[in-house]
Amino acid sequence: MLKTSDYLILSAALASMILSIYLWFSGQQDAGLFVGIWVPSILGFGAYFKIIQYRSKL
């Protein structure tokens, strides 16, 4: 079951990926790579907070 916070995290990662692709193909490869490495970081933070939330319920 996904909650609102899960959707926000996934949409932030998707927006980062789309921005990265746009920057890459607009000729700004360095900026595209920089923004592209945000995606796993955002998803990692989301997973971390999900684990913390799950552990607090135990």
Side-chain angles (χ1 to χ4, degrees), residues 16 34 51:
S16 174
F34 178 72
I51 289 170

Side-chain angles (χ1 to χ4, degrees), residues 4-46:
T4 305
S5 60
D6 298 331
Y7 286 117
L8 290 174
I9 291 168
L10 290 174
S11 63
L14 181 64
S16 174
M17 184 176 67
I18 291 170
L19 179 61
S20 172
I21 292 169
Y22 170 76
L23 288 170
W24 178 268
F25 287 112
S26 69
Q28 300 175 1
Q29 283 86 14
D30 290 338
L33 287 174
F34 178 72
V35 174
I37 61 174
W38 294 353
V39 177
S41 300
I42 293 169
L43 294 175
F45 281 126

